[in-house]
Amino acid sequence: MTAAGAGGAMLLGPAWRNAAAAEAGGADSRIAQLMTHTIGIDMHNHVYPAGTEPHPQRGPQGSQPPRQQEQQQAPDLSLAEELKRSGLTAVCASFVLDFAQNNKPGDARDNYLRWLTAIDAQLEKGHIRRALNLKDLQAAHDHGQPTIVQTVEGAMFIEGHLERVEELYKRGLRHLQLLHERDDMVSPLGDTNTGPAHLGGLTAFGAEVVKECNRLGIVVDLAHASHETVLGALKVTTRPVIVSHTSLDSRTGGDPRMVAMMKPRLISKEHAKVVADAGGVVGVWTKLADSLKDFVESIKAMVDAVGIDHVGIGSDTDLLSSRVGQGTNKAYAGLTGGFFNAVVGEMLRQGFTPDDIGKVGGGNFCRVFDKVTAGHA
C-alpha cells in the first residue's frame, strides 16, 4: 500500500464493519460501502482505562487549582469493543501528561509509564497490537482488528533527557505531541497557544526533540503550540507534521463557557495553512461544535481553508468514557451506531465525495504516518 493510495480505495474489510455501518446509516448503503474502503483514523483520542484518569489543573501553566476529573469512566467498557463499535480502524491514544500529578522531576516519566502499563493490559485483553507503520494500519483494517497509534499529549516526560524519546519509542510511541498547557519543569520545548509567550517559540532543546523524532520515525504533533513555535518546528523538521486537534478560530459554537475556555486553542487560517503547505495535516475536533452537523461543517471550513489533502479528524474525545459529549461513541446526544459511522453519514449528507471522505477520514493521516515511519522498525 503506497502513501498516495492511502487516501483512496482500501481493500475490503470484515463483515462486522458492514453491520455497524448499516446500523448508523439505515437505508443509505453508501455508508456501509465507504466503511469497507476507508481506514478511519481519530488523530487525537484520550484512552483512559478506569483508574488512570488525570486530574486537570486548569489554566496556562496550571494557574488554577485542580478540580474534579471531567471524565466519567465506565469500567465495563472494553477498548477493543468500543473501537469496533466506533467504526474507526485506529485511534491515536493519548494521555494528558501535564494533568497528572507531576510534583518533582521524574514524576512525569513515571506517570506516563504507568499509563502505558494500563494500556498494555487493555491491548492484551482485546488481542490488539499497536500500529507502528502504515502496513500495520492496513492489516488492522483488512482483518477487522482495530488498533491504536501510541501518543502522548505533552512531552513532559523528557525533562531534558533526549534519550527518553527513544526509550518510549521502544514502548511503541509513534506520535508525539510536544506541548499541552504546562512547561516541562526541567527543559521547556516551546511556547503554547494558551499561555503568555516567554520562550521565543520553539526552544533549542525543542528543536533537538523534533530532530530526534525525525530520526526515529515519530510523527511530530504541534497541537497547542503557538504560531511562533510551529514556525520554528517547520524550520528544523525534515518530515511533515500534524496538528492533531483544533478548529478554525471562526468556528466557536454557541456555548459561551466553552468558547471562553477553548478559543485560545483554535487556530487561524494562516496558522493552518503553514502546516498544510509543509505537507502536514490538521485534525478537526468535536469541541465547540454543538451537533454532528456543526462538526462536519467545521471540517468543511478547514477543507476550504487548506485543501482536502490536509484535513483529518481529531475528536479530542475519550473512547472509554460513558459521558455524553466526552465519550467517542457518545460525542453527541442521540449518536447511534458508532462515532465514525455517524460522521461518514453526515459528510455524505453535506456533499463530501467518497474520495473526500477517504482522505479526511484517515487517508491524509496515513500519508503522513507512512512518510514519517517508513524505513523504521
Side-chain angles (χ1 to χ4, degrees), residues 217-271:
I218 298 173
V219 174
V220 173
D221 183 354
L222 298 175
H224 286 267
S226 71
H227 190 59
E228 292 71 23
T229 299
V230 170
L231 293 177
L234 291 176
K235 287 180 180 178
V236 300
T237 186
T238 60
R239 297 289 185 270
V241 302
I242 67 170
V243 173
S244 62
H245 60 291
T246 186
S247 192
L248 291 176
D249 54 14
S250 58
R251 303 289 305 176
T252 57
D255 183 337
R257 182 186 67 84
M258 287 294 290
V259 172
M261 182 168 62
M262 295 295 181
K263 191 167 184 180
R265 297 159 174 79
L266 303 178
I267 63 175
S268 66
K269 288 183 179 180
E270 293 72 23
H271 188 126

Side-chain angles (χ1 to χ4, degrees), residues 32-357:
Q33 184 177 17
L34 270 167
M35 296 299 294
T36 63
H37 288 77
T38 302
I39 294 182
I41 308 288
D42 184 349
M43 295 166 60
H44 187 75
N45 195 288
H46 298 287
V47 180
Y48 297 141
T52 69
E53 307 92 328
H55 295 259
Q57 297 183 9
R58 303 305 302 182
Q61 307 306 318
S63 59
Q64 299 176 27
R67 70 184 186 186
Q68 291 184 342
Q69 65 198 48
E70 295 177 321
Q71 284 76 25
Q72 178 67 40
Q73 301 310 97
D76 58 326
L77 290 185
S78 157
L79 174 60
E81 291 306 315
E82 287 302 301
L83 261 172
K84 287 187 176 183
R85 182 183 169 209
S86 75
L88 292 159
T89 300
V91 298
C92 296
S94 187
F95 179 72
V96 187
L97 191 52
D98 62 351
F99 283 173
Q101 293 297 314
N102 304 312
N103 299 315
K104 63 183 185 303
D107 285 353
R109 174 180 174 275
D110 290 345
N111 282 323
Y112 188 41
L113 289 174
R114 276 192 291 270
W115 178 77
L116 282 175
T117 297
I119 293 296
D120 287 344
Q122 283 278 339
L123 297 180
E124 183 177 2
K125 180 180 178 181
H127 305 288
I128 297 172
R129 298 176 61 185
R130 290 180 175 90
L132 305 181
N133 49 45
L134 180 59
K135 181 179 178 181
D136 290 343
L137 289 176
Q138 182 69 64
H141 177 80
D142 294 344
H143 298 296
Q145 188 63 45
T147 185
I148 68 167
V149 176
Q150 193 64 68
T151 183
V152 64
E153 186 162 21
M156 298 178 70
F157 68 89
I158 300 176
E159 297 179 323
H161 297 277
L162 191 62
E163 68 275 8
R164 289 184 183 174
V165 180
E166 186 166 6
E167 175 192 15
L168 272 299
Y169 175 85
K170 292 176 179 177
R171 288 289 304 268
L173 183 71
R174 292 298 183 274
H175 171 177
L176 179 62
Q177 183 181 324
L178 295 184
L179 305 169
H180 187 233
E181 291 185 355
R182 306 181 73 194
D183 290 339
D184 182 319
M185 66 174 65
V186 177
S187 295
L189 304 183
D191 287 317
T192 71
N193 57 10
T194 51
H198 64 292
L199 298 169
L202 189 74
T203 66
F205 186 65
E208 290 302 309
V209 172
V210 171
K211 293 174 183 176
E212 182 70 351
C213 287
N214 290 167
R215 182 183 76 84
L216 292 169
I218 298 173
V219 174
V220 173
D221 183 354
L222 298 175
H224 286 267
S226 71
H227 190 59
E228 292 71 23
T229 299
V230 170
L231 293 177
L234 291 176
K235 287 180 180 178
V236 300
T237 186
T238 60
R239 297 289 185 270
V241 302
I242 67 170
V243 173
S244 62
H245 60 291
T246 186
S247 192
L248 291 176
D249 54 14
S250 58
R251 303 289 305 176
T252 57
D255 183 337
R257 182 186 67 84
M258 287 294 290
V259 172
M261 182 168 62
M262 295 295 181
K263 191 167 184 180
R265 297 159 174 79
L266 303 178
I267 63 175
S268 66
K269 288 183 179 180
E270 293 72 23
H271 188 126
K273 197 169 187 306
V274 297
V275 174
D277 287 348
V281 178
V282 179
V284 178
W285 65 1
T286 58
K287 305 293 192 259
L288 300 178
D290 300 326
S291 66
L292 183 63
K293 178 176 179 289
D294 289 342
F295 173 55
V296 173
E297 287 175 352
S298 292
I299 292 174
K300 184 176 289 187
M302 190 67 75
V303 168
D304 289 343
V306 303
I308 194 67
D309 294 317
H310 303 285
V311 180
I313 293 170
S315 73
D316 200 17
T317 59
D318 179 355
L319 195 70
L320 296 181
S321 175
S322 61
R323 180 179 175 182
V324 173
Q326 201 74 41
T328 306
N329 290 317
K330 294 181 177 291
Y332 296 104
L335 199 67
T336 60
F339 172 75
F340 190 54
N341 309 295
V343 171
V344 168
E346 183 60 29
M347 290 182 76
L348 284 169
R349 282 187 284 274
Q350 293 196 28
F352 283 87
T353 69
D355 190 53
D356 292 340
I357 293 171

